[in-house]
Each structure stands twice: as C-alpha cells, then as structure tokens.
C-alpha cells in the first residue's frame, strides 16, 4: 500500500485533521504513515494521535531522522514552521517598533519575507533527501509562505504542489452569505495564494454576485466585502489576511477601526495553537477521547484521486506556465487543478481582470525578490522585497525599512540562509 510521510508531524492538530480525512477513504486503508519531527515530545504525541485515529487501518511509524522517514515515500506532506512561535513573535515585535502593523505576517509583507528566508534552508535539505530516496514522490506543501516556498522548490524537486484551504472555505462562506447550499454553487477562482479572486460564482447559471450587493452596515465593515465593492471581485482569504496585502489600510487608524482589522492577530492564533497542542498532549497521556472529525483538506483528496483514479477538482499552487496570461511566467499561481491517477494537472484560466492582476503583480514582485535573495545569496534583495511590499512601503521610510531588515536579520541569526546572515 502507498506510503504517506508527514514532515513537521509535531504540528499535531493539523496532523490530526489530515489523518481523520485520510481514514474516511476505505480505499486508503492499509496505508503506511511515516511521521517525522525534530521535537521528540511532539513526535511522540503525534504518533499516539495517529495510532488512535487510524486504528487498525494504517501502519504508523515515527522518525526523528527525516531521510529514514522519506525512504520509499509515494506522497510527502510538508507542514514545517521553522522557528516556531518564538520566531513568529520576532516577526511581529521588531516591525512594530518601527510602526509597522501586521495581522498574520505569513504570506508577503515583512513577516512573510523572513518566514520564507527561515524556511528555505529546510526546503533545501528536504529536497536533497527526496532526491536521494524518493525522487518520484508527490510533495504536497502546506508550509507558508506558500507561493515563495513552492517557487523556491520548483527547480529542486520533480513534483510539488502547494495546498491551501482558502478557496474552499471562502466559497463555503460565500454560499452561506447568499443563503445557497454550497453543494448547489459552481465557481472558478484564480490568482495567487491568499489573494486569488472569485471569477465566477453561480447557481444553475444565475450569477450570485449581485446577492452580495446589500446595504448591510456590518457586512460592509469586512475588508473582503470592501475590496469586492471597489474591485468587482471577491478575494479568497480572510479579511485579516487580505488587509495586509494592499497599501491603503494598515497605516490608517480610521481604516483599522472602520474595517475592524485585528493587528497582531496571528500572535493570538499561535498562542491558541500552543494551548490546543497541550490539551491534545494531555488528553493522549491521560487516555481521553479525541475528536476525530475531518477537515476537508485537499491533500487527502489528492492522494485518494491518485491512488484510485477518481477525478476531482482541487485548487493548487503551481508554477505559472501560461496558466494566468497576465501574471509573470514562472511565478507561482493558484488555479483549479484536476487530480486523478496521472497526478495533479493545473488548468489554464487566461487573463485575470486587470485590477486584480495589478494587485497580484505587486505580490509576485515580493515573492520574486525574496526567492532571488536566497538563490543568489544577495542580502540587498531582502531589502528590495520589503521596499516593494505594499504594506511595508506604505508605512515606513526607506531608511527604516533597511534598519528593520538589519534588526530582523540579527534576531533570526542562524535560521537564515548563510549568505543572508548578519556580518
């Protein structure tokens, strides 16, 4: 039976959800699950959770050694967060000293750039291991910043697709907003991860977008509704995310208040994740019952499709090889993909609306400069990425951007690629 490897399995809550999704498919029973993490305690908890959830339906092994875990893998799911909570705090606290406000800080922006730079050395090592022991594996990446990580990996491994639940949950939310069952809607979205656009939103040929045009004062206090009203298309990530990808919101107190933008939100989310891990650990140790509800993530669906040949449409982050005609060739875009026995095949969507493509191109520029900084070993490109980032550039002077980059470089130290460390 197929072997599925979880890299960063110590992210126990996420591992829990993916495993619950996998065991829902009878055709996958008998699968081999290999868990890898560098934290022994988290790995032990993840193994216990995995054994509880899979029961007798899978063989579960745990490995501190990554290459050992990867041996013979058919599928690899990457969900590592390099530096963990402590590095996330640094990504918020140092920019805040300069007056830079962030909400999630994991995609673009100052936090996204430095999260990527911390992750790239891990991706180098992961790619080396994959090429050594399982070169034909399908690597399914969940680690953020999604687009930067997939771009960086694209020349290093044969098969990589980035996965995110933002399109799926956006459409669930939109269906609820217009009071139409999700199962009855049809849609197409495309763009870049966390800033794709709902291009079509219908039921039985009826355009459902006009149902969002209501005079609800509370609804209009959502960033995404505000963006839809002004741009004509709804973005596929939460308002907290969407607020920090544009230049016109985060540095205005009045906009923070009008749109209820939660500055520092990801720090609170991270603290909740730590607390949830501890609850899960204590439940496992005490023999308590686990909730094994699934999460409807794409990775288990893709694995099922590849193993059984069942075709389904998912959304994936892949290299733009003519998929979106008015975004740069070679960048990473989020588009509909068909998963079946042949793998994951992206679908070309043509040109985005020009206003949407314009915002995406700013996002892509931050991605490109960050990836180039690491590939070329050029620390100036780190600063250039921050200089063109919409929120950072709108909030800080150029001198402060460079000083902030110096401070973050010193603070993250050896987590960064060697050529980009402070000298």
């Amino acid at each position: 039976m197929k072997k599925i490897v979880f890299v960063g399995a110590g992210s126990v809550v996420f591992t829990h959800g993916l495993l619950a999704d996998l065991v829902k498919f009878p055709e996958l029973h008998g699968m081999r699950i290999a868990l890898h993490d560098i934290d022994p305690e988290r790995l032990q908890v993840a193994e216990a959770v995995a054994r509880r959830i899979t029961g007798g339906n899978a063989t579960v092994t745990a490995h501190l050694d990554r290459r050992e875990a990867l041996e013979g893998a058919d599928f690899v799911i990457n969900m590592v967060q390099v530096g963990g909570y402590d590095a996330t705090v640094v990504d918020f606290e140092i920019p805040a000293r300069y007056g830079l406000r962030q909400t999630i800080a994991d995609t673009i922006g100052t936090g996204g750039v430095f999260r990527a730079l911390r992750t790239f050395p891990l991706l180098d090592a992961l790619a080396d291991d994959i090429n050594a022991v399982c070169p034909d594996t399908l690597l399914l990446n969940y680690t953020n910043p999604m687009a930067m990580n997939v771009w960086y990996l694209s020349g290093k491994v044969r098969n990589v697709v980035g996965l995110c639940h933002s399109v799926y949950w956006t459409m669930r939310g939109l269906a609820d907003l217009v009071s139409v069952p999700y199962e009855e809607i049809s849609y197409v979205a495309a763009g870049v991860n966390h800033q794709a656009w709902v291009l079509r939103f219908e039921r039985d040929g009826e355009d459902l977008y006009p149902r969002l045009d209501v005079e609800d004062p509370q609804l209009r206090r959502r960033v995404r509704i505000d963006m839809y009203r002004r741009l004509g298309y709804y973005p596929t990530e939460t308002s907290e995310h969407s607020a920090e990808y544009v230049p016109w919101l985060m540095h205005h107190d009045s906009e923070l208040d009008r749109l209820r933008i939660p500055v520092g939100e990801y720090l609170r989310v991270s603290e909740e994740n730590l607390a949830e891990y501890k609850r899960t650990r204590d439940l496992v140790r005490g023999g308590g019952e686990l909730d094994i509800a699934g999460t409807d993530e794409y990775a288990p669906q893709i694995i099922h499709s590849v193993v059984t040949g069942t075709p389904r449409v998912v959304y994936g982050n892949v290299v733009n090889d003519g998929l979106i005609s008015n975004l740069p060739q070679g960048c990473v875009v989020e588009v509909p993909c068909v998963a079946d026995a042949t793998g994951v095949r992206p679908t070309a969507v043509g040109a985005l609306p020009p206003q949407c493509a314009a915002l995406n191109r700013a996002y892509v520029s931050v991605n490109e400069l960050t990836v180039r900084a690491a590939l070329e070993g050029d620390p100036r490109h780190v600063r250039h990425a921050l200089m063109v980032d919409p929120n950072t550039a709108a909030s800080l002077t150029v001198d402060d951007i460079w000083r902030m980059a110096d401070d973050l470089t010193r603070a993250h130290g050896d987590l960064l690629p060697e050529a980009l460390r402070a000298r």
Side-chain angles (χ1 to χ4, degrees):
M1 192 54 177
K2 299 298 183 180
K3 182 177 181 180
I4 305 164
V5 180
F6 288 66
V7 177
S11 178
V12 171
V13 177
F14 198 46
T15 297
H16 176 169
L18 291 173
L19 287 168
D21 286 339
L22 285 167
V23 297
K24 285 182 179 179
F25 295 113
E27 300 91 340
L28 298 181
H29 290 180
M31 60 191 159
R32 294 179 292 153
I33 302 292
L35 307 173
H36 162 68
D37 203 276
I38 61 172
D39 183 319
E41 181 195 90
R42 280 183 169 266
L43 182 60
Q44 184 181 48
V45 174
E47 181 182 12
V49 167
R51 292 187 186 282
R52 290 267 199 100
I53 291 173
T54 59
N57 295 318
T59 300
V60 177
T61 57
H63 310 263
L64 289 167
D65 182 276
R66 183 177 55 237
R67 187 167 291 195
E68 177 185 87
L70 290 168
E71 187 76 44
D74 297 290
F75 305 94
V76 176
I77 301 174
N78 179 46
M79 46 192 175
V80 173
Q81 183 182 348
V82 175
Y85 175 72
D86 291 342
T88 298
V89 171
V90 169
D91 284 343
F92 276 89
E93 289 189 346
I94 289 178
R97 293 176 201 159
Y98 287 87
L100 179 64
R101 293 157 164 167
Q102 301 178 101
T103 51
I104 307 297
D106 72 348
T107 300
I108 55 172
T110 297
V113 167
F114 276 89
R115 179 181 282 236
L117 296 176
R118 295 194 303 274
T119 306
F120 290 164
L122 175 279
L123 298 182
D124 282 328
L126 177 61
D128 287 345
D129 287 347
I130 285 173
N131 290 326
V133 300
C134 54
D136 295 322
T137 195
L138 176 57
L139 174 57
L140 302 172
N141 179 70
Y142 275 106
T143 295
N144 284 320
M146 178 63 67
M148 295 190 212
N149 289 339
V150 174
W151 195 333
Y152 189 77
L153 280 165
S154 62
K156 298 176 181 289
V157 296
R158 291 181 192 172
N159 304 306
V160 57
V161 178
L163 301 179
C164 176
H165 48 230
S166 62
V167 172
Y168 172 75
W169 286 110
T170 290
M171 299 316 301
R172 300 283 316 202
L174 278 177
D176 287 344
L177 272 178
V178 300
S179 301
V180 174
Y182 172 77
E183 294 73 21
E184 297 180 15
I185 68 171
S186 61
Y187 58 89
V188 174
V192 290
N193 181 238
H194 291 171
Q195 198 187 58
W197 309 95
V198 180
L199 303 177
R200 194 179 78 227
F201 176 37
E202 299 175 348
R203 178 176 65 172
D204 296 332
E206 175 198 356
D207 182 5
L208 295 175
Y209 258 136
R211 297 197 185 191
L212 296 179
D213 301 329
V214 296
E215 294 298 325
D216 182 336
Q218 292 306 308
L219 194 59
R220 288 182 174 232
R221 294 187 68 194
R222 296 186 188 182
V223 171
R224 290 202 284 181
I225 290 291
D226 195 70
M227 291 178 71
Y228 159 66
R229 288 177 56 221
R230 299 174 193 277
L231 299 169
Y233 296 88
Y234 198 81
T236 61
E237 230 335 320
T238 61
S239 290
E240 300 94 286
H241 274 277
S242 296
E244 63 181 2
Y245 308 150
V246 295
W248 56 76
L249 295 178
M250 297 297 295
H251 56 292
H252 295 296
D253 290 344
S254 59
E255 293 294 80
L256 295 181
D257 179 64
R258 178 175 74 90
L259 296 171
R260 301 173 291 190
I261 298 171
V263 175
E265 176 68 9
Y266 193 66
L267 290 176
R268 292 186 282 275
V269 171
S270 297
E271 289 163 1
E272 290 171 3
N273 288 341
L274 287 173
E276 182 61 26
Y277 162 71
K278 291 175 182 176
R279 283 193 292 271
T280 302
R281 179 197 62 194
D282 294 345
L283 267 176
V284 168
R285 288 176 174 174
E289 289 295 319
L290 290 174
D291 176 8
I292 59 170
T295 55
D296 294 325
E297 289 288 346
Y298 286 137
Q301 297 177 50
I302 289 171
I303 292 168
H304 180 262
S305 288
V306 172
V307 171
T308 66
T310 304
R312 51 168 56 89
V313 175
V314 298
Y315 277 78
N317 291 270
V318 294
V319 172
N320 187 30
D321 183 12
L323 301 171
I324 298 180
S325 59
N326 54 351
L327 291 184
Q329 185 82 353
C331 74
V332 169
V333 294
E334 189 165 65
V335 294
C337 300
V338 176
D340 59 20
T342 66
V344 180
R345 291 176 284 109
T347 302
V349 297
L352 297 177
Q355 67 275 27
C356 298
L359 283 175
N360 283 172
R361 283 194 290 268
Y363 174 119
V364 167
S365 293
V366 179
N367 290 352
E368 179 183 10
L369 287 163
T370 305
V371 171
R372 282 184 176 273
L375 293 178
E376 299 172 10
D378 188 345
R380 293 172 301 174
H381 281 332
V382 178
R383 282 77 182 162
H384 299 156
L386 300 182
M387 287 169 64
V388 302
D389 174 70
N391 181 38
T392 307
S395 302
L396 303 183
T397 66
V398 174
D399 281 344
D400 277 349
I401 289 172
W402 281 60
R403 282 191 284 266
M404 178 182 65
D406 291 343
D407 288 349
L408 283 162
T409 300
R410 284 189 290 269
H412 287 307
D414 292 347
L415 293 178
L416 302 180
E418 186 173 355
L420 303 181
R421 297 172 192 168
R423 292 176 172 84

